[in-house]
């Protein structure tokens, strides 16, 4: 991603260095505290309820810094539930494109991982990896909150690896 | 003057540990007794009756007629347990595993019957068939000889 520096500060190399350092810091910050956007692509609400259960004090996903945000533009991780119905197909793609890099996509539930009971329906586009690239799959109908947490932790490990790989280049 | 009725509750809650289960460090929250987790499949017990193929709502099973077994892809499973109820030999069982997140939805743990095993079974079935045919032909020739 290209970083544009204001014209008057372009010749000023310390300013540029400071900016780069700040961005590196931000990247490291993202590696520790990811924000999550939840896309419901025609789900039956079972998985959505389990995601909310994972945020309750009993399971407390916010220990990892995970927070549900209201816009994909703020998010690092996308949680997709549901079998990607034809009506939600465009919206899922749009939300994926709006998410800034580096991003992780987690497919929660049997529907986005393999199709679930909608596997032969002409109105769904399951599995999700036919639509957008998916990093972590969490099967289950619905998965227990611990399984979702484990998926988030796996995604975090992958995200950190991605960030480290990016900084080495 | 009476003490306010909330005081004992407040004191008890001050001394109590947090309700959070620190999951990746410790065991998960205990699961109920009849919990339905990932399906396990015992190939040797399977007799190829196709009951699970008929009953499954999610199309997890594919019948392999050559070896009379079923192939599974449990990433699609909805954990209804109907195949376990209907299986006459108990080849299908529900385990208690639920931590199933993975980077790949075609990982080994979602495919209990591996393609190599299918090949092996197919070869065995072919050999058995050939042996049977050979036995028949030898019998026939013996009859004719008489």
């Amino acid at each position: 991603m290209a970083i544009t520096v204001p014209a008057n500060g372009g010749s000023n190399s310390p300013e540029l260095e400071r900016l780069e350092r700040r961005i590196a810091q931000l990247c490291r910050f993202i590696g520790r505290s990811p924000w999550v956007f939840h896309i419901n692509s025609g789900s039956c609400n079972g998985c959505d309820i389990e995601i909310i259960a994972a945020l309750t004090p009993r399971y407390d996903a916010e220990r990892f810094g995970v927070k549900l945000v209201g816009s994909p533009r703020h998010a690092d991780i996308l949680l997709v539930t549901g079998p990607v119905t034809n009506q939600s197909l465009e919206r899922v793609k749009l939300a994926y494109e709006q998410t800034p890099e580096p991003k992780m996509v987690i497919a929660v539930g049997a529907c986005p991982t393999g199709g679930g009971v909608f596997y032969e329906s002409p109105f769904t586009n399951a599995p999700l990896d036919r639509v957008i690239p998916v990093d972590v799959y969490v099967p289950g109908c619905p998965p227990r909150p611990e399984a979702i947490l484990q998926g988030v932790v796996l995604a975090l490990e992958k995200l950190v690896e991605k960030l480290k790989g990016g900084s080495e280049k | 003057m009476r003490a306010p009725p909330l005081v004992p509750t407040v004191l008890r809650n001050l001394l109590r540990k947090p309700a959070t289960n620190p999951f990746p460090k410790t065991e998960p929250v205990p699961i109920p007794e009849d919990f339905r987790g990932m399906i396990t499949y015992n190939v040797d017990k399977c007799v190829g009756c196709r009951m699970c193929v008929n009953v499954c709502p999610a199309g997890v099973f594919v019948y392999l007629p050559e070896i009379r077994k079923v192939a599974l892809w449990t990433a699609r499973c909805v954990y209804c347990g109907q195949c376990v109820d209907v299986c006459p030999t108990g080849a299908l069982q529900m385990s208690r595993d639920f931590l199933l997140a993975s980077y790949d939805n075609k990982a080994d743990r979602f495919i209990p019957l591996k393609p190599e095993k299918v090949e092996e079974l197919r070869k065995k079935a072919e050999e058995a068939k050939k042996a049977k045919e050979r036995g028949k032909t030898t019998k026939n020739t013996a009859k004719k000889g008489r």
Side-chain angles (χ1 to χ4, degrees), chain A residues 111-133:
Chain A
C111 299
T113 45
V117 291
F118 306 107
Y119 70 103
E120 55 186 4
S121 164
F123 309 110
T124 62
N125 299 286
L128 182 63
D129 57 0
R130 292 207 323 226
V131 184
I132 53 175

Side-chain angles (χ1 to χ4, degrees), chain A residues 4-5 14 27 34 39 55 58 70 77 83 93 96 98 102 143-144 146 150 153 167:
Chain A
T4 50
V5 183
C27 283
I39 307 173
L55 294 169
R58 182 73 167 131
I77 296 179
K93 284 181 187 169
Y96 180 76
Q98 285 175 347
R144 276 180 86 82
E146 280 107 346
Q150 197 207 11
V153 170
S167 66

